[in-house]
Amino acid sequence: VFPGVYKAQFFDPERLSVLRGYMANVADADIPLRPPYGISLNRGGAMLDERSEGYLAAPSFQNFYRRLMNRYMRPVSRLLFPDIVGYDSQTFGFSIQWQPDTDTSLRTHTDASSVTLNINLNLPGEEFSGSGVRFFDRRTNAVAELSFAPGTALIHHGSVPHESMPITQGERSNFVLWLY
């Protein structure tokens, strides 16, 4: 959909309620979780990877997370970005929730990853406006703002400059997963 950026349906939107319900139960349980490093968009968010202090350590979730990374993200990343093979042995993941009047933007940056997978966890009918992800092509100076529907993912090299635009209405929930 943009140089170095792909978009695909990743989760079945009709089944996202199971995952979102689980994450809501975690948030409601007041389990002390560490918010994503240096990211203010952490209300309802959690570190997902076991190498992160304060991660979501529930064994069933960790099994799900490892399968997600090993059976899907790593093979798809290697297919789309063969140059990352050998630079994809480590994982990192977190969840975030965008809210209007609180999350004004996530300025232009690159990720410390080989590949980033950003998955929209909104349920069908959970409408939001704004909050698109703007990508920049260093070679051509082209800019594209992409949005994604429930269960849809954007996958890109971590080196692709991008920023998240302000959300103006509703909320957007995401998993952000890295290989490095």
Side-chain angles (χ1 to χ4, degrees), residues 1-2 5 7 128-136 142-148 154 162-168 172:
V1 293
F2 192 74
V5 181
K7 181 177 178 178
F128 63 90
S129 14
S131 191
V133 181
R134 188 178 288 169
F135 289 91
F136 302 88
V143 178
E145 186 171 331
L146 305 175
S147 61
F148 44 127
L154 297 173
H162 58 285
E163 67 181 333
S164 293
M165 303 310 295
I167 189 165
T168 55
R172 179 166 63 94

Side-chain angles (χ1 to χ4, degrees), residues 103-154:
D103 303 312
T104 55
S105 70
L106 186 55
R107 61 182 168 73
T108 305
H109 65 283
T110 58
D111 296 333
S113 66
S114 299
V115 177
T116 297
L117 179 69
N118 186 341
I119 309 168
N120 181 338
L121 299 181
N122 278 51
L123 302 176
E126 283 184 329
E127 301 298 325
F128 63 90
S129 14
S131 191
V133 181
R134 188 178 288 169
F135 289 91
F136 302 88
D137 184 337
R138 289 180 174 141
R139 204 172 36 80
T140 65
N141 293 325
V143 178
E145 186 171 331
L146 305 175
S147 61
F148 44 127
T152 302
L154 297 173

Side-chain angles (χ1 to χ4, degrees), residues 12-21 120-128 149-151 171 173:
D12 178 350
E14 300 303 321
R15 301 270 310 166
L16 274 174
S17 61
V18 176
L19 179 57
R20 283 286 301 283
N120 181 338
L121 299 181
N122 278 51
L123 302 176
E126 283 184 329
E127 301 298 325
F128 63 90
E171 293 184 358
S173 297

